[in-house]
Amino acid sequence: MINISNLKDNFELCKKKLELKGYTGDLNNLNIQINSKNSLQTELDELKNKKNSVSKQIGIKASNGEKIDVLKKDSDGLSSEIEKKQIVFNDLKTDLEAQLLEIPNLPDDDVPIGSDESCNKEIDIKIYNQTSGGPDHVEIGEAIGLLDTDSANKLSGSRFVVLKGKLAELQRALILLMLDEAKENGYEEYYVPFIVNSDSLVGTGQLPKFADDQFSVGENKFLIPTAEVPLTNIYRGETINSDHLPVKMTSHTPCFRAEAGSYGKDTRGMIRQHQFEKVELVKFVHPETSEEHLEELVNNAASILDRLELSYRKVILCTGDLGFSAAKTIDLEVWLPSQDCFREISSCSNFRDFQSRRMNTKIKDGKQKYYPHTLNGSALAVGRTLLAILENNFEKGVGVHMPKALKPYLNFDLIEIVK
């Protein structure tokens, strides 16, 4: 949730920044409502103070045996007025809170201005043995006989996959590599629920804005779209001692997304699925250090691509492509020979205090309390890492060579094609 005080004090700047993220809500009317709520709060405080004063007078006069009829009538009148104003105030507060939950985070000043992904800017690139053309991961999966979309379609429908044998082992090996890398970088591993309530999705920004992208599995229960949701919400409503910062967490989970806004896009293979695996990295940090923690987060994710010797680039997202909750995002994009381009494999974001305000998570430093900054990123999307290995390590007529970094996790160096 954006800082209301910042919105009031820097209204025109905030309005401009939100417009750059595509926000079309009526901020002018919102500002009027905020002022009305603040005025009502002042009136209520004054009335309550006045009623307290009358109540004290009633107590004093009653103890002295004096008449209190007039004072009681005044007290009743004040109570009635307070009750009426409180109803108006509560309704206005509820409406404001609902509106504020729909407002995206403000982009950082150094985020490129642009309307869509074509305005994103490459900031770094790492090239290994990069080739172009050749079969895509679906063709390779069929050639080695271990990627089964027909069975997945029979079981669940489109945008699912069944992995068999050595391909399933490869996925498990990648997960273990990513978790071990995270542990080496100081992240504590968690096992978390795969089903969360609506408060958790509100806390990280998936609800109410993106309700259509969630899989509901009952009243107030949803499959997680990413481990970011349960990991971050562990601290919802909590106060963290400043001595414990930074908090660094990781978890491997399946992720479930309805992909409501991507009809007909990337329907082939494993690029965009309803169910996929990720290893997630989450941080709670001091506000003054979040920028350097974003850089560290990106490097933590990129180090896995370096170990796997997969070509990739780092891209900073422009205002129009920036996620709802993010103030700044740097994507890692891996090279896919079949598409002759780089495709996203990790998004590393700094949310500033946007999520911690929504979750009411605070840091205690002596007598001072403040909102921490939260960050998260994939390290990495496992399915996309797997398909990148298939495409980049495929040798025609032979099969798929396994990266050297996976030797500790696999008892084979090659997945042969089916003769």
Side-chain angles (χ1 to χ4, degrees), residues 128-148:
Y128 290 96
N129 296 319
Q130 183 173 316
T131 60
S132 296
D136 70 4
H137 70 281
V138 177
E139 295 170 287
I140 296 170
E142 292 171 350
I144 60 178
L146 301 177
L147 192 152
D148 187 353

Side-chain angles (χ1 to χ4, degrees), residues 200-252:
S200 296
L201 288 165
V202 168
T204 43
Q206 283 79 14
L207 288 181
K209 181 72 172 176
F210 303 104
D212 290 343
D213 285 330
Q214 314 307 320
F215 276 114
S216 175
V217 291
E219 187 176 353
N220 195 33
K221 292 290 186 290
F222 302 85
L223 294 174
I224 60 170
T226 165
E228 168 202 352
V229 178
L231 282 176
T232 310
N233 276 276
I234 285 173
Y235 287 99
R236 172 160 47 91
E238 302 290 332
T239 298
I240 306 169
N241 194 294
S242 60
D243 293 341
H244 295 159
L245 294 180
V247 174
K248 300 170 71 172
M249 318 161 77
T250 188
S251 185
H252 156 249

Side-chain angles (χ1 to χ4, degrees), residues 10 30 38 57 92 112 179 189 257 265 268 327 376 382:
N10 303 282
L30 178 70
N38 291 342
Q57 292 180 51
L92 183 55
L179 287 173
E189 184 176 351
R257 296 184 187 176
K265 184 178 181 183
R268 179 174 169 82
N376 88 268
V382 180

Side-chain angles (χ1 to χ4, degrees), residues 141 144-148 151 162-170 415:
I144 60 178
L146 301 177
L147 192 152
D148 187 353
S151 292
V162 170
L163 305 178
K164 300 186 292 185
K166 289 182 177 179
L167 207 53
E169 290 181 51
L170 172 58
I415 303 180

Side-chain angles (χ1 to χ4, degrees), residues 13-58:
L13 177 61
C14 290
K15 183 178 179 181
K16 182 179 178 180
K17 284 193 168 189
L18 289 171
E19 288 172 350
L20 290 172
K21 284 191 76 170
Y23 180 73
T24 57
D26 190 348
L27 282 176
N28 291 313
N29 184 60
L30 178 70
N31 199 33
I32 291 171
Q33 288 181 284
I34 291 172
N35 289 332
S36 297
K37 172 181 164 290
N38 291 342
S39 295
L40 265 174
Q41 181 68 71
T42 300
E43 291 175 25
L44 277 168
D45 290 343
E46 290 175 351
L47 286 169
K48 289 174 182 178
N49 288 335
K50 193 173 181 180
K51 186 177 183 302
N52 287 336
S53 177
V54 171
S55 296
K56 287 180 181 178
Q57 292 180 51
I58 290 174

